Amino acid sequence: MKIDTLILGAGAAGLFCAAQGPGRCLVVDHAKAPGEKIRISGGGRCNFTNLHAGPENFLSANPHFCKSALSRYTQWDFLDLVQRHGIGWHEKTLGQLFCDDSAKQIIEMLLAECRTAGAEIWLQTEIGEISHSDGRFRCQLTRNGKVIEVESRALVVATGGKSIPKMGATGLAYRIAERFGLDQTETRPALVPLTFGGPTLEHLKSLAGLSCDAEITCNGTGFREALLFTHRGLSGPAILQISSFWREGDALSMRLRPDVDFYETLRARRQIDGRKSLSRHLSEHLPSRLATLIAEQSGLTGNLADQSDKALQHLVSHLTDWQLTPTGSEGYRTAEVTLGGIDTDELSSRTMEARKCPGLYFIGECVDVTGWLGGYNFQWAWSSAHATATAIAAT
């Protein structure tokens, strides 16, 4: 079977690349259904892009690499496509755009675009040996028990990273990169809950299920979003964001309720209602179990009226700079993305083509470009896929 473009992976990047019409195109995937990570994303409503998407929202060993693709296919371009398909959407918070109804609408839109482009999709297809000679790629595929060799002018690797293996992640892209001599950066789980041990975990478990507005800082970077306490440690948007910047041994600095000046608030309340306990006053701004724990950890006893200004400053330090050191993360099992991947020095920033092997492209999550939480990684999938499809169509 001879075609122009073989795309490995029927996820966001692979489907969108095929939808751009890079010649006679075949998309293959071992999953039973296309776009499985799209389906489960955003609580089933798919946070498909972000109004504020820009290079500053991505991590990479080369922070400039993503600029070209992002500028040539923007969030506005994808939003226009969504609207042309009549998909209702809304902004949830911080520029995050979601479907009004279902993430399945995004999958259906991509499949409709693939049909229009004439792309063929083979699911439940195993990818075997891949070779390259005479300017052509040859890939052994197993479908319905039959081995089929597909020969293509271009090979696009869009098989994602290592995150959420139960959804089919295998790390295949990294093995293909190694096969063709491409360097890779260190990979690790990102946008992932953080775990704790010992006495710290026991304290956090007592707060499981509670959430709080917080600013979390680590290694000079901070995010202010919701913080969620769990039976294993910490989660919620603020923690998922900071997890991309955290490394083993690093402490987190947590400022609870940044909108509240606790020192001045408590001083004022001391004058008019000082006979209440510290935890009672704190619970006006924090969940009661959290307020009680903070009061206990400060070591202060008695009512608010009993506390000096110095004692209140000590208490407030626990609220504005609560230091906790995770022991690890929940790993790829729950990580939304993989940090690191194919070294961007190996790829053209304009086309995503491998410099060492013309016709070989890597797009989406497998590349060392990782977005923040909030639709940024989907935007990278759309932008990098568009860059590659445009380049293939022009050759």
Side-chain angles (χ1 to χ4, degrees):
M1 179 177 177
K2 295 185 178 181
I3 56 174
D4 295 310
T5 305
L6 175 61
I7 299 176
L8 308 182
L15 290 177
F16 196 66
C17 184
Q20 309 306 304
R24 187 186 177 201
C25 176
L26 172 64
V27 183
V28 299
D29 200 300
H30 67 149
K32 293 181 179 179
E36 280 292 84
K37 285 185 74 173
I38 299 175
R39 182 180 61 82
I40 67 168
S41 67
R45 290 192 173 181
C46 188
N47 178 193
F48 56 81
T49 192
N50 194 293
L51 293 176
H52 309 305
E56 65 277 8
N57 306 117
F58 294 84
L59 289 77
S60 175
N62 178 2
H64 302 290
F65 179 83
C66 64
K67 290 180 177 179
S68 176
L70 290 172
S71 67
R72 287 184 293 122
Y73 192 86
T74 69
Q75 58 269 41
W76 309 109
D77 294 317
F78 192 78
L79 183 57
D80 178 64
L81 177 63
V82 168
Q83 293 180 150
R84 280 192 278 119
H85 279 261
I87 299 173
W89 58 274
H90 62 276
E91 179 186 356
K92 188 174 181 181
T93 183
L94 301 173
Q96 301 168 10
L97 301 190
F98 289 78
C99 296
D100 286 346
D101 296 324
S102 171
K104 293 179 181 178
Q105 293 175 289
I106 298 296
I107 300 173
E108 291 164 1
M109 177 190 76
L110 295 174
L111 293 177
E113 291 286 312
C114 285
R115 286 192 294 270
T116 300
E120 192 172 354
I121 300 173
W122 289 0
L123 299 172
Q124 295 180 281
T125 300
E126 297 300 322
I127 300 167
E129 184 180 344
I130 299 172
S131 61
H132 178 253
S133 62
D134 303 322
R136 306 284 291 184
F137 293 91
R138 293 167 184 83
C139 183
Q140 301 285 335
L141 304 176
T142 303
R143 187 189 189 209
N144 297 327
K146 297 180 179 179
V147 177
I148 304 168
E149 182 176 90
V150 175
E151 183 179 307
S152 64
R153 181 169 54 89
L155 178 65
V156 180
V157 182
T159 54
K162 303 175 182 177
S163 58
I164 318 184
K166 71 177 182 180
M167 300 301 295
T170 63
L172 174 63
Y174 311 124
R175 297 194 293 275
I176 294 174
E178 184 177 2
R179 155 75 178 79
F180 287 95
L182 276 62
D183 291 335
Q184 302 170 46
T185 64
E186 177 193 6
T187 55
R188 56 185 291 120
L191 303 184
V192 63
L194 298 177
T195 57
F196 294 77
T200 299
L201 177 59
E202 293 308 308
H203 289 312
L204 296 179
K205 285 170 70 173
S206 72
L207 304 174
L210 300 181
S211 63
C212 174
D213 178 28
E215 182 177 9
I216 316 294
T217 304
C218 185
N219 291 320
T221 298
F223 292 93
R224 179 184 172 183
E225 291 193 61
L227 165 67
L228 175 66
F229 297 90
T230 75
H231 285 96
R232 300 190 67 189
L234 297 174
S235 188
I239 291 296
L240 299 187
Q241 293 279 37
I242 209 65
S243 70
S244 295
F245 299 84
W246 175 81
R247 295 294 182 273
E248 286 73 7
D250 292 340
L252 305 179
S253 171
M254 307 200 301
R255 182 179 181 184
L256 306 180
R257 288 297 303 275
D259 57 320
V260 177
D261 186 335
F262 280 102
Y263 179 63
E264 293 300 332
T265 298
L266 291 172
R267 288 187 72 215
R269 297 294 291 174
R270 184 175 59 186
Q271 300 300 317
I272 60 176
D273 199 12
R275 284 188 283 184
K276 287 183 180 178
S277 67
L278 282 173
S279 59
R280 283 283 298 278
H281 283 287
L282 289 177
S283 66
E284 295 177 8
H285 307 283
L286 299 169
S288 59
R289 277 185 284 152
L290 177 57
T292 299
L293 178 65
I294 293 293
E296 290 175 351
Q297 290 199 333
S298 71
L300 302 179
T301 58
N303 296 328
L304 179 56
D306 302 323
Q307 312 306 323
S308 65
D309 284 356
K310 184 176 181 180
L312 291 182
Q313 288 174 337
H314 172 70
L315 171 66
V316 169
S317 69
H318 286 265
L319 296 162
T320 59
D321 187 21
W322 188 7
Q323 296 272 329
L324 291 176
T325 302
T327 56
S329 78
E330 292 192 2
Y332 289 115
R333 180 180 64 85
T334 58
E336 294 199 12
V337 293
T338 303
L339 185 70
I342 312 302
D343 193 328
T344 55
D345 286 347
E346 299 282 8
L347 308 175
S348 162
S349 63
R350 186 167 182 80
T351 66
M352 307 293 130
E353 186 176 28
R355 300 184 188 281
K356 295 175 180 176
C357 185
L360 176 62
Y361 302 81
F362 291 85
I363 59 176
E365 185 185 347
C366 66
V367 179
D368 177 29
V369 175
T370 306
W372 292 2
L373 180 75
Y376 298 100
N377 288 292
F378 274 128
Q379 185 56 48
W380 172 245
W382 318 137
S383 296
S384 60
H386 182 270
T388 286
T390 302
I392 294 173
T395 59

